[in-house]
Amino acid sequence: MRRSSRRRRTVSAYREGDRTVVLIPARMSEAEEQRWVSVMLDKLAAQESKRVLGDTELSERAQRLSAQYFDGRARPASVRWVTNQNTRWGSCTPSEGSIRLSHRLQGMPEYVVDYVLLHELAHLLVPGHGPRFWRLLESYPRTERAKGYLEGVVAADRLPHLPGVRGE
Ligand SMILES: [Zn+2]
């Protein structure tokens, strides 16, 4: 915690290595200070949980999902985010073992990202969307829910921009 005499009102916090620095105005009371420290720690934690996975974390996630749902049989050579994919949530090139996820998924619930990852992982094992393909995804309990979520996003995109409805 750092008290700053220049700082009059605002409180801020950031991570510095494995320490957290909370900047507070010098005049603040002990009680206010304690309250703010916990508020700022919660705020930082919330920001960090919303943080986007990096490509390395995305690969690790894919590995874990493959192990959990496909006995580790799907082994992608690369998993990464792409920004040039706006009509598909994910894609996969089985011959290269590469999986690409649209950056539009960033910020969506984890179970949705996991579903798209699993979907693409399943394509490493079964091409197309036949019964064998969907059987693979049956073991993931949130398949239907994730599909519904994504359909909802697509439907919302097609709506006219009504003021107050989409907040635009
Ligand atoms: Zn597919």
Side-chain angles (χ1 to χ4, degrees):
M1 204 226 343
R2 285 180 199 156
R3 282 179 176 265
S4 162
S5 50
R6 280 176 308 158
R7 199 166 272 271
R8 292 185 185 276
R9 291 203 176 80
T10 56
V11 178
S12 65
Y14 56 91
R15 305 275 194 219
E16 199 176 68
D18 51 11
R19 292 189 315 160
T20 303
V21 179
V22 181
L23 297 166
I24 62 166
R27 289 179 311 149
M28 215 176 241
S29 73
E30 197 88 4
E32 276 179 310
E33 171 193 309
Q34 288 198 348
R35 190 172 64 85
W36 274 107
V37 167
S38 70
V39 166
M40 296 314 280
L41 288 179
D42 286 352
K43 212 168 151 186
L44 271 183
Q47 280 168 6
E48 285 163 358
S49 68
K50 269 189 238 148
R51 196 174 53 100
V52 164
L53 297 176
D55 285 347
T56 312
E57 291 159 306
L58 201 58
S59 299
E60 286 166 3
R61 184 93 159 241
Q63 265 178 33
R64 250 181 297 152
L65 288 167
S66 174
Q68 190 174 352
Y69 295 100
F70 304 147
D71 300 320
R73 284 177 299 134
R75 291 190 200 91
S78 75
V79 185
R80 60 195 176 88
W81 295 109
V82 290
T83 54
N84 61 354
Q85 197 165 268
N86 290 312
T87 55
R88 290 195 292 178
W89 298 116
S91 65
C92 151
T93 310
S95 58
E96 295 169 3
S98 60
I99 288 174
R100 294 161 299 277
L101 295 197
S102 168
H103 74 292
R104 295 181 64 208
L105 290 164
Q106 292 171 355
M108 288 191 192
E110 260 176 31
Y111 75 89
V112 175
V113 178
D114 282 355
Y115 161 72
V116 178
L117 262 179
L118 268 176
H119 184 116
E120 300 310 329
L121 286 166
H123 278 312
L124 294 178
L125 305 172
V126 180
H129 296 108
R132 271 186 65 216
F133 176 83
W134 290 114
R135 219 170 295 134
L136 275 176
L137 286 176
E138 269 169 13
S139 55
Y140 180 61
R142 288 172 161 186
T143 290
E144 286 311 314
R145 188 169 160 199
K147 280 163 77 177
Y149 183 98
L150 292 171
E151 279 163 17
V153 170
V154 171
D157 277 350
R158 291 202 189 112
L159 288 176
H161 290 191
L162 302 173
V165 173
R166 303 193 60 211
E168 286 173 6

